[in-house]
Amino acid sequence: MTRFTLWVAIGACAVARVRGDGGPYPPGPASPGSDAIPADSVLFKSWARSMASFEAGPRRAGADSSSANYGSIDSVFGPPDAAGSEYDMPPEEGPVLSLGDGGRVTLQFSPPIADGEGADFAVFENGFAVGSSGIFAELAFVEVSSNGVDFVRFPAVSCTPTAAQTGSFTTLDPRNLHNLAGKHPAGYGTPFDLSELVAANPALNAARITHVRIVDVVGDVTGGLGSRDSNGNWINDPFPTDFQTCGFDLDAVGVIHQAQDGWQEWVAASFEPAVQNDPAITGPDADPEGDGKTNLIEYACGFQPAAAEGEAALTVSSVQSLVVLQFSRDAARSEVSLILQDSPDGLAWSTLASSTGGGATTGTGVEIVESGSPRTIVSVTAPRTEAKRFYRLKVTRG
């Protein structure tokens, strides 16, 4: 089950909500002070190229309607390619992926996104500007995760007045919107800064954001079906939009700050250039020296991939009524997890201890002793049973 955390932000739009004029946030790209980032900016280091999941929402929330069905997985990969509101092409080849009301898409990034100076990534929609301070677009929440399970939502704020419903073709003022993807027109990304989440979310590893989730905002403010911002206020977004392209139309996600890819650096330092692109030699599951340890295990445990060490990845010994299991880990490999498991039959496995993200090893009902740095020796002592037990060390890289 996906776990989700929402952190509340205090908005600064009480005056704007009453007056109905421009709010306190940056304007669109045509005005001074805009935070919109053009698609051709040199800031972007890479683009989304992997999708973890997609759940299309209906064309109209609360109604017996079909789901949005415009675009495909490929529509969101690579740089933005949406140029306006109409596209003369088959729907499945469209340049954007329409989410539908309340729909969501989760993208996976490798190398991960990292928290740097200023904005760390930007989300592109296909809205179009109307005048200097208006935009027709559909909005979305943005959530991030450093493990693909626990997601944290950026504190979004909408200052758009809610006395009247924003119609299907009514424009919004980007100055009333904060941390809502879609506030800028096609070709311009809405920026997101991970530093906004760090202080209130100690469990989030902002140095390694592996997943970004886009969740469509349902803009209904009169029927009780809509979405609320982080202050509990309705978000007035075009509604209804009972079209094939309903909901947020995701074009691209551009990465500005990337985490260092320790794996690629390790491969470059450990293998000759002529073989570095050969997965049979340098792939995570390869064992080029034939010592029984895959490259991923060598990487996580601090071994040398080009040498057949006699040391096993996991050793098991018995001391009276106890069993002692020992393995090593390289504390610098923050993106790998080492999981020590046992089983009565080699089929059903239970976790004895785990070491994730280069942190301390933890476990329940066992004694754990760690020594050495950066290559740490981990000793796990558990009660010994009379029945046969199987043990294994599982390594994953996220």
Side-chain angles (χ1 to χ4, degrees):
M1 178 181 293
T2 297
R3 295 189 289 273
F4 168 70
T5 304
L6 172 63
W7 295 91
V8 177
I10 302 300
C13 58
V15 174
R17 186 179 296 279
V18 173
R19 293 183 358 229
D21 56 7
Y25 301 110
S31 301
S34 176
D35 62 353
I37 305 178
D40 60 357
S41 172
V42 296
L43 293 174
F44 293 114
K45 303 300 188 296
S46 66
W47 300 91
R49 297 189 182 280
S50 177
M51 182 180 293
S53 65
F54 171 51
E55 303 169 38
R59 293 189 179 190
R60 179 167 182 169
D64 184 16
S65 63
S66 59
S67 299
N69 63 337
Y70 186 85
S72 66
I73 292 175
D74 291 338
S75 301
V76 304
F77 294 160
D81 49 11
S85 60
E86 297 182 2
Y87 309 105
D88 184 19
M89 59 182 65
E92 64 275 9
E93 297 178 9
V96 296
L97 178 65
S98 298
L99 303 190
D101 282 354
R104 57 183 58 199
V105 60
T106 304
L107 304 174
Q108 188 167 357
F109 292 84
S110 180
I113 303 170
D115 182 23
E117 185 68 26
D120 301 302
F121 66 96
V123 181
F124 290 77
E125 215 248 0
N126 71 333
F128 55 91
V130 178
S132 61
S133 60
I135 180 173
F136 174 76
E138 291 153 305
L139 306 175
F141 297 113
V142 175
E143 304 167 5
V144 296
S145 172
S146 48
N147 59 13
V149 176
D150 304 285
F151 282 82
V152 179
R153 178 172 292 179
F154 277 88
V157 179
S158 172
C159 300
T160 303
T162 57
Q165 174 67 58
T166 297
S168 302
F169 298 100
T170 306
T171 61
L172 301 172
D173 187 335
R175 296 172 296 177
N176 285 328
L177 305 172
H178 175 62
N179 277 342
L180 284 163
K183 69 171 282 182
H184 294 307
Y188 292 89
T190 302
F192 291 86
D193 185 350
L194 291 169
S195 66
E196 292 190 41
L197 305 177
V198 173
N201 299 273
L204 184 70
N205 183 1
R208 301 193 67 82
I209 297 299
T210 57
H211 295 75
V212 174
R213 176 173 291 166
I214 314 297
V215 182
D216 175 71
V217 165
V218 180
D220 175 32
V221 298
T222 59
L225 300 174
S227 305
R228 295 181 183 269
D229 69 9
S230 55
N231 294 321
N233 299 312
W234 293 112
I235 301 176
N236 205 347
D237 174 64
F239 185 86
T241 54
D242 191 1
F243 317 119
Q244 186 178 26
T245 58
C246 67
F248 186 86
D249 302 303
L250 179 61
D251 190 1
V253 176
V255 179
I256 296 172
H257 294 123
Q258 285 183 328
Q260 288 187 334
D261 192 336
W263 169 260
Q264 293 297 333
E265 293 176 354
W266 182 79
V267 168
S270 303
F271 296 93
E272 295 295 327
V275 301
Q276 287 178 9
N277 292 323
D278 185 350
I281 298 176
T282 64
D285 297 326
D287 180 15
E289 69 273 41
D291 63 356
K293 299 189 290 289
T294 66
N295 284 333
L296 183 57
I297 291 176
E298 304 259 17
Y299 173 75
C301 297
F303 293 120
Q304 299 297 319
E309 302 103 334
E311 184 178 353
L314 175 66
T315 62
V316 182
S317 59
S318 179
V319 180
Q320 298 179 351
S321 62
L322 301 173
V323 60
V324 180
L325 304 108
Q326 195 170 81
F327 62 92
S328 65
R329 64 183 179 90
D330 190 327
R333 314 303 187 195
S334 61
E335 80 279 20
V336 296
S337 297
L338 294 89
I339 305 171
L340 179 62
Q341 299 180 315
D342 73 334
S343 169
D345 54 12
L347 299 174
W349 293 90
S350 300
T351 296
L352 289 175
S354 62
S355 178
T356 303
T361 304
T362 59
T364 302
V366 297
E367 178 184 345
I368 300 172
V369 177
E370 297 184 309
S371 61
S373 179
R375 185 167 183 257
T376 301
I377 304 300
V378 181
S379 297
V380 179
T381 303
R384 190 181 69 181
T385 64
E386 294 299 325
K388 181 185 294 185
R389 302 295 291 182
F390 296 84
Y391 299 94
R392 73 178 183 185
L393 183 65
K394 182 179 179 181
V395 179
T396 62
R397 182 170 65 98

